[in-house]
Every structure is written in C-alpha cells, then in structure tokens.
Amino acid sequence: MSKKKNKYNKIVGDFARYFGENTLENWQRLCRDIGIDKELPSVTKCREVLKSVHVNIYDLLDAVRQGTTPQRFGNPRQLAQYSVDNRKIYPRHMAEKDKVGPVRVLLRGLFRRG
C-alpha cells in the first residue's frame, strides 16, 4: 500500500472514530470543537451553522487531541489553498460517499467540478 493511500485511510478512520454515529450529540460536539458556542437543538441546525465554517479536517482532529480550536478560514478558496499547500487533503472519493454526514458538510465547495 502506498504512503498516500495509507495517509488517506488513516484520516478517514481517525475522523470516523472521532465523530462516531450520526447523532445530535456528536453533531453538537463537532460544532463545539470547531468553536461554535451556540445552542443547537437539532442536526439540521448544526448542519446549517457548519455551512459557514471552513476548517481543515486534519487540523480539526489535531486540535481535538490538543484541546484547542482549529484554525477557521474565511472562505472555501482559502481553505482549499491551505489544504493543498500543506498536503492535508481529505480523499475526495471518501467525501463523496458521505452523502449527509459531517464530512460532506465540512468539505462542501472544495470539490466543485469546473
């Protein structure tokens, strides 16, 4: 297995272990870990708030491990540039499999086809 494929498998597994099941509590925890301190009573509200947040998934997991908040970017373009420059790119084929989950919400706009 190549190093790149190994890295991708690791980030997919790490995020799956971090997020767990698709429950309101896990969505609320994700929002808190990103630095959103609002009362969010539903998964729909969590998803809505996350649509305006741009964080790198690798950095999110590192921040959770360190007890900090990940860097937030002003727009998808800034996040994409940072992700490419730092080689911290979540594998597209795995993001596309996550139809309604947190990966899809966090990565929306990054993989638009030209």
Side-chain angles (χ1 to χ4, degrees):
M1 184 178 300
S2 73
K3 277 187 179 182
K4 187 175 182 179
K5 190 167 185 173
N6 223 9
K7 178 182 175 184
Y8 285 165
N9 286 340
K10 180 170 177 12
I11 190 65
V12 170
D14 286 352
F15 190 82
R17 281 185 292 283
Y18 158 74
F19 190 78
E21 297 296 317
N22 193 13
T23 65
L24 174 59
E25 292 77 19
N26 288 338
W27 280 91
Q28 290 170 329
R29 177 176 42 86
L30 172 61
C31 290
R32 281 191 308 272
D33 288 345
I34 289 174
I36 299 166
D37 296 322
K38 292 181 180 180
E39 183 66 32
L40 300 166
S42 69
V43 170
T44 301
K45 291 290 183 191
C46 292
R47 290 173 56 84
E48 286 174 10
V49 168
L50 288 170
K51 286 181 182 179
S52 65
V53 175
H54 311 287
V55 298
N56 180 277
I57 291 177
Y58 287 82
D59 291 353
L60 167 63
L61 295 176
D62 286 343
V64 167
R65 285 190 277 274
Q66 296 167 8
T68 61
T69 303
Q71 176 181 358
R72 289 165 66 170
F73 296 87
N75 58 56
R77 178 173 281 157
Q78 291 173 347
L79 172 57
Q81 187 64 53
Y82 168 86
S83 299
V84 169
D85 290 349
N86 291 280
R87 297 184 176 176
K88 294 181 175 183
I89 302 170
Y90 194 92
R92 180 180 185 153
H93 69 281
M94 294 305 292
E96 290 173 345
K97 288 181 180 180
D98 184 23
K99 298 295 183 202
V100 296
V103 169
R104 189 67 167 227
V105 174
L106 292 173
L107 296 180
R108 92 247 148 266
L110 290 181
F111 294 129
R112 289 195 178 138
R113 295 181 193 264

